[in-house]
């Protein structure tokens, strides 16, 4: 790695921090501008009790002061504060708890999707216009266009209720099989299609023809030249996709009762759990920023002609 | 390596990754019950919990002075638990009532330490305190010195004295309420104590032995429980999910033996497919529509002002209530055995004469409640409603429509069921030319809007916390945090138009043309201080009469509670608050 690359990475990390700071600031003020509050319930508590709770969590202070305190706590102590709704739990613990499951689920789904997708895409490209290609394209089109709540419900009814092969709740042993499939089918289909079109494009390039003319073996052409060069769009897609998929999917977690992080994003907002909203937002924003950075660096690995500047 | 080999390798790798997640196993042993009540509880601290599912779990984990139980005939009773007996109170000179309880022998915490009455004193004071800000802190309202100087004292380790402001008819029931369960000071000094099994020390039939957050809470029989011999179920696995389709799938494939909710769309089917496992039971609650009392609904150009205008509005609101077909709402929209409601105080509340309170509500000899909900009475109700409205609005006889009724907006929180009811209301009112716009709001925003009185008509619902009508009535005093209707606030504060005569009950209170604060608020505080049970119930009927006369509460139905339980499970029971009890269950072979 040369100094230019290092400088580039340094610049990107700085930019990432600024991005996250902007996200924090916007979320913080927008969140407080939305009506409702964390201590509001169907059955009202007394005004005094409400005031006592607000004082306890510092919500009685002016907004800008809360904002400064929040930022300071994160920067100096890496402290994301307590959840306002799940009394007694720390935001960081809740996120880490959910991430254990979501990351496992997401990683397996993403990696399987990439492996299967690239293989199928390559096969489809190499066997262009054959029956095999057509079958792959029809199936992947179906998977790309089918929303996960339908796919999930279908799998649940067939494999859990009718056949009884796998449990219906993510907490049981083997309960993650269906969620992984549901979560992975869309990116798998998408990657298949990306790989196919990109590979077709590469296979038509002059250097492939040159290699063929020079008598390079078929395998070497495919793996050494064609496949490697057709992966750029896949990598572009894979990085952010991985960030989203490992941070959980509300829909899939709901359908299969998976104890992941995805639900927390939504429930924290419904609950006006300010600390959780900030925590989950920062977490997701950081992951996406990091994934984008890794993606950019991977470009260079795949294609040395790409210059950082 | 050729291409085929590589592909085979990649596919194998993908399959291995999927295989890593393990193989299914859905067996349940005879001494283990898998249930699903709801998703992850916000808290399992007995003082902080305010959810029904949380209350069910806390009731298995803790033992208060009293508990819900069944007698030998299977009837629900309140029985002594940690207390030796549920004693009668002694009325003091100032009208307050003091109860003295003795702790039974052998009551222990799950770490082996003995429970003392000091733990109860500490727990009650903590739960009621302003500082804790618990949702259910007000459950101690009847105790002298509420909230921060509670008159409860542990005389010694075995004796607890508590003084109430007056006789409270449902006091024993309160003792069985989770907010009244004991906690130990050194345990709860760690604020995170109730979030982890290792720090969760309880004194009930079960101890918490596992909590995988958002996934499953495991309760295991507590050997230190003073009545452990009677507890038959060894382990309870409480799965945490609120997706009704997922719950049903787990019930149908046999993984879970009890689920506390089902998808509304499946109700008809489940009723016929699972006749012995599908249950609908009553729950003390009312689903209703509420009006903002300060919303102007009189037609433009109407010359009525002040109290006269409000009397007209009350008549109009009541008339609109008559246009609604509650049987249609229950049978076609709710579909869960809901009962059409004609009063605000729900079914399931006992009156002085032993009948249900709602059966004595209203003043008709022909029907129960404030209007007739019989299916064949709908047409005459409707005609009556239209006739009343004709007094105030222009009615076009050719189209059978009102032409100058101001347009209204109905708000509800985002939910398919609430929306369906909103659409029904819209259709019913459109039938007489009244335009009702529908606005849905996300839950917290909705609560805020409704509390601030920033609406004209809103969906509402109330579930009682104990078997006494006052839990439906005291929420409508002027300063109540639940006074969404805005009684006695804004313009309504000035309107002196209500009468109150409590002289027949021995009180020197007679108000004519008083404001809401001078009448309703006084009435409620009199009821709360009343020691004559018969008079107390009579006055609660007066309070409900006042509420219903304003037309601001339009009851639609009484809530029901739906659950499914495997018919192999025996010894299960539930209480009117919706709490489920599994400690005495067994699973038949």
């Amino acid at each position: 790695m040369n100094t230019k690359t290092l400088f580039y990475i340094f610049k990107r990390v700085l930019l990432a921090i600024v991005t996250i700071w902007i996200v924090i600031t916007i979320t913080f003020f927008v969140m407080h501008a939305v009506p409702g509050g964390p201590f509001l319930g169907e059955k009202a508590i007394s005004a005094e009790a409400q005031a006592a709770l607000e004082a306890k969590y510092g919500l009685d202070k002016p907004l800008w002061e809360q904002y400064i305190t929040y930022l300071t706590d994160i920067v100096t102590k890496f402290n994301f504060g307590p959840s306002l709704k799940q009394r007694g739990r720390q935001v960081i613990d809740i996120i880490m708890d959910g991430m254990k499951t979501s990351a496992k689920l997401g990683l397996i789904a993403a990696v399987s999707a990439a492996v299967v997708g690239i293989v199928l895409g390559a096969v489809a490209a190499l066997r262009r216009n054959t029956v095999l290609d057509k079958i792959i394209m029809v199936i992947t089109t179906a998977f790309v266009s089918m929303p996960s709540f339908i796919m999930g419900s279908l799998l649940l009814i067939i494999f859990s209720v009718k056949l009884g092969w796998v449990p219906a709740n993510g907490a049981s042993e083997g309960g993650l099989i269906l969620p992984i499939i549901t979560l992975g089918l869309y990116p798998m289909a998408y990657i298949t299609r990306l790989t196919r079109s990109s590979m077709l494009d590469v296979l038509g390039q002059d250097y492939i023809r040159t290699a063929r003319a020079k008598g390079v073996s078929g395998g070497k052409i495919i793996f050494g030249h064609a496949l490697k060069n057709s992966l750029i769009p896949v990598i572009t897609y894979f990085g952010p996709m991985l960030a989203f998929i490992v941070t959980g999917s509300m829909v899939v977690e709901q359908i299969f009762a998976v104890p992941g992080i995805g639900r927390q994003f939504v429930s924290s907002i419904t609950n006006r759990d300010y600390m959780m909203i900030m925590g989950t937002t920062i977490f997701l924003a950081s992951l996406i920023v990091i994934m984008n950075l890794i993606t950019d660096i991977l470009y260079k690995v795949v294609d040395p002609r790409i210059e950082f500047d | 390596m050729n291409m085929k080999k590589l592909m085979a390798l990649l596919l194998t790798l993908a399959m291995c990754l999927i295989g890593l997640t393990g193989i299914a196993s859905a067996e349940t042993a005879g001494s283990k019950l898998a249930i699903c009540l709801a998703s992850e509880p916000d808290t399992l601290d007995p003082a902080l919990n305010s959810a029904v599912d949380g209350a069910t779990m806390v009731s298995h984990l803790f033992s208060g002075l009293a508990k819900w139980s069944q007698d030998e005939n299977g009837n629900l009773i309140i029985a002594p638990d940690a207390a030796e007996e549920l004693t009668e109170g002694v009325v003091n000179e100032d009208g307050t009532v003091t109860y003295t309880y003795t702790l039974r022998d052998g009551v222990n915490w799950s770490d082996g330490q003995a429970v003392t009455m000091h733990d109860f004193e500490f727990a009650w004071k903590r739960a009621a305190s302003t500082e804790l800000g618990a949702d259910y802190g007000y459950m101690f309202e009847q105790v002298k010195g509420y909230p921060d100087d509670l008159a409860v004292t542990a005389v010694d380790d075995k004796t607890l004295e508590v003084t109430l402001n007056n006789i409270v008819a449902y006091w024993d029931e309160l003792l069985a309420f989770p907010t009244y369960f004991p906690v130990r000071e050194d345990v709860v000094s760690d604020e995170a104590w109730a979030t982890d099994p290792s720090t969760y020390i309880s004194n009930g039939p079960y101890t918490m032995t596992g909590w995988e957050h958002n996934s499953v809470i495991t309760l295991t029989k507590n050997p230190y429980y003073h009545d452990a011999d009677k507890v038959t179920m060894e382990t309870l696995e409480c799965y945490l999910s609120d997706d009704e389709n997922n719950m049903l799938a787990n019930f149908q494939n046999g993984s879970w033996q009890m689920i506390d909710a089902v998808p509304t769309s499946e109700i008809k089917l489940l009723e016929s497919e699972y006749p012995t496992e599908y249950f609908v039971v009553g729950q003390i609650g009312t689903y209703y529509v509420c009006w903002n009392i300060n919303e102007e609904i009189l037609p433009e150009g109407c010359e009525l002002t002040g109290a006269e205008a409000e009397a007209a509005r009350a008549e109009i609101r009541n008339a609109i209530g008559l246009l609604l077909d509650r049987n249609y709402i229950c049978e076609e929209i709710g579909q869960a055995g809901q009962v059409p409601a004609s009063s605000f105080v729900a079914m399931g509340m006992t009156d002085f004469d032993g009948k249900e309170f709602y059966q004595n509500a209203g003043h008709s000899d022909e029907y129960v409640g404030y209007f007739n909900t019989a299916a064949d009475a709908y047409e005459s109700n409707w005609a009556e409603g239209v006739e009343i409205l004709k007094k105030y609005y222009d009615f076009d006889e050719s189209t059978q429509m009102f032409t100058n009724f101001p347009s209204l907006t109905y708000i509800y929180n985002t939910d398919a069921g609430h929306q369906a009811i909103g659409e029904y209301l819209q259709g019913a009112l459109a039938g007489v030319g009244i335009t009702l716009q529908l606005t849905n709001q996300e839950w917290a925003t909705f609560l805020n809007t409704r509390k601030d009185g920033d609406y004209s008509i809103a969906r509402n619902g109330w579930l009682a916390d104990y078997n006494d009508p006052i839990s439906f009535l005291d929420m409508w005093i002027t300063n109540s945090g639940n006074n969404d209707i805005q009684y006695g606030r804004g313009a309504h504060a000035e309107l002196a138009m209500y009468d109150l005569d409590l002289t027949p009950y021995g009180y020197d209170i007679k108000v004519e043309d008083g404001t809401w604060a001078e009448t309703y608020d006084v009435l409620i505080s009199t009821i709360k201080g009343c020691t004559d049970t018969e008079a107390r119930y009579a006055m609660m009927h007066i309070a409900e009469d006042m509420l219903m006369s304003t037309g601001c509460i339009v009851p639609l139905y009484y809530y029901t509670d739906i659950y499914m339980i495997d018919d192999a499970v025996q010894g299960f029971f539930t209480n009117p608050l919706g709490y489920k009890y599994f400690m005495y269950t067994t699973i038949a072979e």
Side-chain angles (χ1 to χ4, degrees):
Chain A
M1 212 181 284
N2 56 22
T3 43
K4 208 171 166 186
T5 313
L6 275 177
F7 180 70
Y8 174 79
I9 292 173
F10 176 72
K11 206 173 76 181
R12 283 293 302 265
V13 169
L14 264 187
L15 205 63
I17 292 171
V18 174
T19 311
I20 292 168
W21 171 70
I22 293 173
V23 169
I24 291 178
T25 310
I26 295 177
T27 313
F28 189 88
F29 289 100
V30 168
M31 165 181 96
H32 280 281
V34 175
F39 310 122
L40 200 61
E42 179 93 69
K43 299 186 174 178
I45 57 171
S46 71
E48 294 78 31
Q50 170 113 12
L53 284 175
E54 280 173 3
K56 178 180 158 100
Y57 294 107
L59 298 175
D60 55 337
K61 302 215 174 69
L63 208 52
W64 62 268
E65 203 181 317
Q66 291 181 42
Y67 171 71
I68 302 283
T69 316
Y70 187 76
L71 276 187
T72 324
D73 279 357
I74 290 180
V75 176
T76 58
K77 299 180 230 158
F78 200 66
N79 178 4
F80 290 82
S83 162
L84 304 180
K85 208 72 183 180
Q86 303 177 41
R87 297 269 291 257
R89 297 196 73 200
Q90 294 293 316
V91 168
I92 193 86
D93 295 339
I94 299 176
I95 293 180
M96 285 308 148
D97 244 352
M99 269 310 286
K100 273 192 287 192
T101 307
S102 287
K104 179 174 160 194
L105 185 73
L107 271 178
I108 297 175
V111 172
S112 323
V115 172
V116 178
I118 291 170
V119 171
L120 287 183
V123 170
L126 294 172
R127 300 276 179 275
R128 182 166 35 149
N129 293 333
T130 61
V131 182
L132 187 62
D133 177 32
K134 299 246 163 71
I135 292 174
I136 291 175
M137 280 303 103
V138 168
I139 292 176
T140 53
T141 310
F143 287 161
V144 166
S145 40
M146 198 186 285
S148 58
F149 65 90
I150 292 186
M151 178 58 78
S153 306
L154 263 179
L155 292 175
L156 185 77
I157 290 169
I158 297 172
F159 294 102
S160 285
V161 180
K162 299 284 179 220
L163 299 173
W165 290 354
V166 277
N169 75 304
S172 300
E173 215 180 311
L176 291 184
I177 294 176
L178 292 184
I180 286 172
I181 295 175
T182 314
L183 211 52
L185 279 180
Y186 176 87
M188 185 276 282
Y190 198 84
I191 290 172
T192 306
R193 299 172 67 83
L194 269 182
T195 312
R196 178 179 181 271
S197 62
S198 152
M199 185 119 168
L200 283 178
D201 187 43
V202 172
L203 286 174
Q205 298 283 334
D206 287 345
Y207 61 84
I208 298 288
R209 201 171 305 143
T210 311
R212 280 227 171 93
K214 280 168 70 184
V216 181
S217 73
K220 204 164 179 197
I221 290 177
I222 293 164
F223 294 107
H225 302 284
L227 192 58
K228 195 176 159 198
N229 288 327
S230 34
L231 285 185
I232 297 253
V234 176
I235 291 170
T236 313
Y237 169 73
F238 190 80
M241 182 271 282
L242 189 64
F244 276 108
I245 214 171
V246 299
T247 48
S249 151
M250 159 84 185
V251 176
V252 172
E253 286 175 14
Q254 194 79 19
I255 293 175
F256 298 102
V258 175
I261 189 76
R263 273 192 272 183
Q264 303 288 349
F265 286 95
V266 183
S267 65
S268 65
I269 298 171
T270 320
N271 289 334
R272 299 289 186 278
D273 189 339
Y274 295 140
M275 299 296 182
M276 270 305 288
I277 298 177
M278 292 308 297
T280 47
T281 310
I282 294 171
F283 185 74
L284 181 60
S286 314
L287 249 173
I288 290 174
V289 168
I290 293 168
M291 280 307 176
N292 277 330
L293 181 61
I294 294 176
T295 308
D296 286 356
I297 296 169
L298 272 183
Y299 284 160
K300 175 92 177 166
V301 177
V302 175
D303 188 349
R305 287 172 305 173
I306 292 175
E307 284 294 323
F308 294 133
D309 53 23
Chain B
M1 201 189 305
N2 66 26
M3 171 112 175
K4 272 184 189 158
K5 269 189 187 161
L6 184 80
M7 265 176 58
L9 188 74
L10 288 173
L11 282 170
T12 316
L13 181 69
M15 285 162 87
C16 286
L17 280 169
I18 291 174
L20 270 180
T21 51
I23 307 301
S25 71
E27 263 178 59
T28 308
S31 58
K32 188 172 80 178
L33 202 60
I35 61 173
C36 180
L37 303 166
S39 56
E40 169 104 348
D42 283 336
T43 174
L44 283 182
D45 183 326
L48 290 172
N49 169 67
S50 61
V52 172
D53 52 297
T56 293
M57 283 187 259
V58 167
S59 299
H60 286 80
L61 287 160
F62 284 89
S63 154
L65 294 181
K67 66 178 175 189
W68 285 88
S69 186
Q70 282 180 307
D71 64 13
E72 53 278 14
N73 301 322
N75 296 319
L76 270 186
I77 50 163
I78 300 286
D81 195 6
E84 266 181 3
E85 58 172 334
L86 300 176
T87 50
E88 293 292 323
V90 178
V91 181
N92 304 312
E93 274 176 21
D94 61 353
T96 58
V97 188
T98 302
Y99 289 82
T100 309
Y101 296 100
T102 309
L103 192 68
R104 76 164 68 195
D105 292 328
V107 182
N108 295 308
W109 292 105
S110 51
D111 61 355
Q113 278 195 41
V115 173
T116 72
M117 282 301 196
H118 294 283
D119 297 325
F120 276 91
E121 178 188 340
F122 167 77
W124 291 11
K125 286 183 170 165
R126 167 179 182 263
S129 69
T130 309
E131 190 197 343
L132 190 72
D135 287 358
Y136 272 150
Y138 67 77
M139 295 298 280
F140 289 91
E141 203 181 35
Q142 298 80 358
V143 180
K144 196 179 154 194
Y146 169 82
D148 289 320
D149 191 23
L150 228 49
V152 48
T153 325
V155 181
D156 54 49
D157 282 357
K158 286 278 189 186
T159 316
L160 187 78
E161 255 180 35
V162 53
T163 303
L164 311 189
N165 291 321
N166 48 269
I167 287 178
V168 175
Y170 48 94
W171 173 244
D172 285 352
E173 197 180 320
L174 286 182
L175 294 177
F177 197 80
T179 322
Y180 279 78
F181 291 168
V183 291
R184 211 168 71 201
E185 192 166 1
D186 64 300
V187 172
V188 301
S189 61
D190 167 13
E191 214 179 339
W193 77 277
T195 62
D196 193 280
S198 65
T199 48
Y200 199 95
I201 309 287
S202 62
N203 74 328
Y206 291 84
T207 55
M208 189 199 289
T209 47
W211 186 348
E212 288 170 45
H213 287 284
N214 288 300
S215 171
V216 59
I217 294 176
T218 310
L219 309 185
T220 308
K221 187 172 163 179
N222 175 11
Y224 290 107
Y225 179 51
H226 56 82
D227 212 9
D229 295 348
K230 297 218 179 71
V231 177
T232 46
M233 184 50 62
E234 285 290 330
T235 311
L236 284 176
E237 280 180 350
C238 309
Y239 285 91
L240 307 170
S241 165
D242 57 1
D243 187 87
E244 286 141 5
N245 291 299
N246 182 272
M247 288 161 96
L248 183 60
N250 278 294
F251 182 81
Q252 287 176 323
N253 73 14
S255 303
W256 297 347
Q257 285 82 51
M258 189 270 169
I259 55 171
D260 208 3
V262 300
T264 311
S265 54
E266 301 285 327
I267 284 174
K268 284 251 154 94
L269 196 68
L270 294 173
E271 258 175 335
S272 55
E273 275 186 14
Y274 297 88
T276 57
E277 300 184 317
Y278 171 88
F279 291 90
V280 178
V281 292
Q283 199 172 13
I284 313 177
T286 307
Y287 187 106
Y288 63 103
V289 169
C290 71
W291 289 79
N292 180 348
I293 197 160
N294 290 316
E295 177 76 8
E296 186 52 85
I297 49 169
L298 290 167
E300 241 177 271
C302 177
E303 286 166 5
L304 298 173
T305 55
E308 282 180 340
E310 173 50 29
R313 282 192 294 264
E315 200 180 3
I316 293 165
R317 289 187 292 251
N318 269 319
I320 287 179
L322 290 175
L323 302 178
L324 308 175
D325 185 352
R326 287 149 177 94
N327 289 289
Y328 178 86
I329 293 176
C330 293
E331 282 156 26
E332 303 300 323
I333 302 176
Q335 296 189 359
Q338 292 96 337
V339 179
S342 58
S343 64
F344 178 55
V345 176
M347 230 168 82
M349 290 283 184
T350 323
D351 207 337
F352 176 70
D353 60 4
K355 285 213 285 190
E356 291 215 15
F357 190 86
Y358 86 102
Q359 291 173 315
N360 294 331
H363 300 278
S364 170
D365 298 330
E366 289 159 31
Y367 52 82
V368 163
Y370 292 86
F371 45 83
N372 194 349
T373 53
D376 55 10
Y378 175 59
E379 266 179 51
S380 61
N381 280 347
W382 190 86
E384 190 191 335
V386 170
E387 278 313 307
I388 296 169
L389 294 177
K390 277 182 188 172
K391 292 202 288 188
Y392 302 100
Y393 302 94
D394 300 337
F395 189 68
D396 182 342
E397 291 292 342
S398 62
T399 57
Q400 294 284 304
M401 299 271 186
F402 291 100
T403 53
N404 63 341
F405 202 106
S407 159
L408 299 166
T409 304
Y410 179 71
I411 62 161
Y412 58 93
N413 54 302
T414 312
D415 172 275
H418 302 325
Q419 182 180 339
I421 288 179
E423 282 162 359
Y424 166 76
L425 299 176
Q426 187 176 45
L429 297 189
V432 292
I434 302 173
T435 310
L436 184 71
Q437 272 149 11
L438 301 183
T439 304
N440 69 325
Q441 290 184 347
E442 170 269 346
W443 178 239
T445 310
F446 172 75
L447 283 180
N448 203 51
T449 312
R450 206 172 60 183
K451 270 187 209 314
D452 289 349
D454 212 2
Y455 70 97
S456 38
I457 315 179
R459 176 204 85 80
N460 219 325
W462 189 258
L463 286 168
D465 304 315
Y466 43 85
N467 183 2
D468 192 281
I470 196 74
S471 66
F472 277 88
L473 301 171
D474 68 352
M475 59 192 277
W476 299 117
I477 58 169
T478 309
N479 288 328
S480 157
N482 295 308
N483 179 6
D484 297 338
I485 290 175
Q486 315 296 313
Y487 283 122
R489 297 180 186 172
H492 190 242
E494 311 297 324
L495 297 179
M497 56 182 293
Y498 300 102
D499 299 337
L500 180 69
D501 182 6
L502 298 182
T503 50
Y505 310 106
Y507 291 93
D508 187 20
I509 297 171
K510 188 167 181 175
V511 185
E512 272 174 36
D513 291 333
T515 61
W516 190 259
E518 287 162 354
T519 52
Y520 194 82
D521 291 7
V522 171
L523 175 59
I524 293 299
S525 75
T526 311
I527 293 170
K528 287 192 169 174
C530 180
T531 50
D532 173 354
T533 314
E534 186 171 6
R536 188 171 171 275
Y537 275 93
M539 288 192 286
M540 289 199 285
H541 279 295
I542 296 177
E544 192 181 19
D545 289 349
M546 278 188 76
L547 289 176
M548 295 305 289
S549 74
T550 65
C552 287
I553 295 175
V554 185
L556 295 184
Y557 60 73
Y558 303 124
Y559 280 112
T560 48
D561 180 19
I562 296 184
Y563 62 86
M564 294 186 77
I565 185 160
D566 195 313
D567 43 19
V569 179
Q570 287 158 0
F572 163 82
F573 67 98
T574 164
N575 83 359
L577 305 175
Y579 304 174
K580 313 287 185 298
Y581 296 87
F582 301 95
M583 48 278 252
Y584 310 120
T585 52
T586 48
I587 298 180
E589 290 304 313

